[in-house]
Amino acid sequence: MYRRPAVRIVRASPGPRTSGLAVALLATLSASCAVFKQLHFEQPTVKLDAVEITGLDLSGVSFILWLDVYNPNDYEIRATRVEAELDLEQTRFGTALLEESVEIAPTSHTLVKIPAQFTWEGVGAGVRALIGRGSVNYELDTKLRVKTSLGGRTLSFKSRGKVPIRDIVR
């Protein structure tokens, strides 16, 4: 004769174990949201803040390019390389390169100083026209190599406008 196995019904009752599980689940979800927030990356903006002429001699012109980098993210960005191609008054001046680590603070502006040396060849007429003026029109192509929680990336920026020439010829 066939006997049917006994079936036992267990009902869950809300008790300390259930609320403990709910708290653990809630804590895990909160931690996950914090991690995903860190993974979200919003591209910074870069503009030329000023051009500082630091020297003139027979071989060329020494400049410091001051870049204003705005980081809209809630976390610091570390740039490992900054490269900038600069045109002033529609004249190509050249490329400036900074291969040092630069920390860009969260949700704020950071001034980045890039020293550059440009020769007179190809830009002599443009440089002579700039001396004595308070500001110049510029076009700037910038590449920023950054480290993020998702790995390294190269970010590209293009900006144009008018920038002051700091009157510091040493």
Side-chain angles (χ1 to χ4, degrees):
M1 179 172 2
Y2 173 76
R3 282 181 93 187
R4 204 165 156 199
V7 176
R8 194 169 149 192
I9 298 176
V10 178
R11 293 188 181 165
S13 62
R17 284 174 48 159
T18 305
S19 63
L21 180 62
V23 169
L25 181 62
L26 188 59
T28 302
L29 288 174
S30 295
S32 297
C33 288
V35 168
F36 286 125
K37 187 175 182 183
Q38 288 290 327
L39 294 178
H40 174 73
F41 180 79
E42 192 171 336
Q43 184 157 319
T45 59
V46 176
K47 71 175 190 168
L48 186 60
D49 185 67
V51 175
E52 182 178 331
I53 301 172
T54 57
L56 295 169
D57 61 26
L58 293 176
S59 64
V61 182
S62 299
F63 283 98
I64 293 179
L65 303 181
W66 290 92
L67 303 182
D68 177 4
V69 182
Y70 176 69
N71 177 9
N73 298 290
D74 291 333
Y75 51 88
E76 179 182 270
I77 296 174
R78 184 176 307 263
T80 58
R81 177 183 169 100
V82 181
E83 185 177 343
E85 293 182 4
L86 178 65
D87 293 350
L88 294 177
E89 295 296 327
Q90 300 175 342
T91 301
R92 174 54 52 114
F93 270 55
T95 300
L97 178 64
L98 180 67
E99 291 188 293
E100 296 175 11
S101 184
V102 177
E103 293 157 2
I104 303 165
T107 60
S108 65
H109 292 266
T110 301
L111 280 178
V112 178
K113 175 182 176 180
I114 305 177
Q117 177 76 34
F118 300 131
T119 63
W120 286 112
E121 185 179 334
V123 298
V127 171
R128 285 188 293 275
L130 300 177
I131 296 173
R133 291 179 55 187
S135 63
V136 294
N137 294 313
Y138 77 90
E139 290 185 32
L140 181 70
D141 290 334
T142 309
K143 289 188 172 88
L144 223 61
R145 180 74 182 156
V146 298
K147 287 184 178 179
T148 70
S149 54
L150 298 174
R153 314 172 98 153
T154 299
L155 307 174
S156 296
F157 307 91
K158 290 186 183 270
S159 60
R160 65 176 51 177
K162 193 170 258 224
V163 64
I165 298 291
R166 295 189 178 161
D167 54 343
I168 305 176
V169 177
R170 299 176 202 175

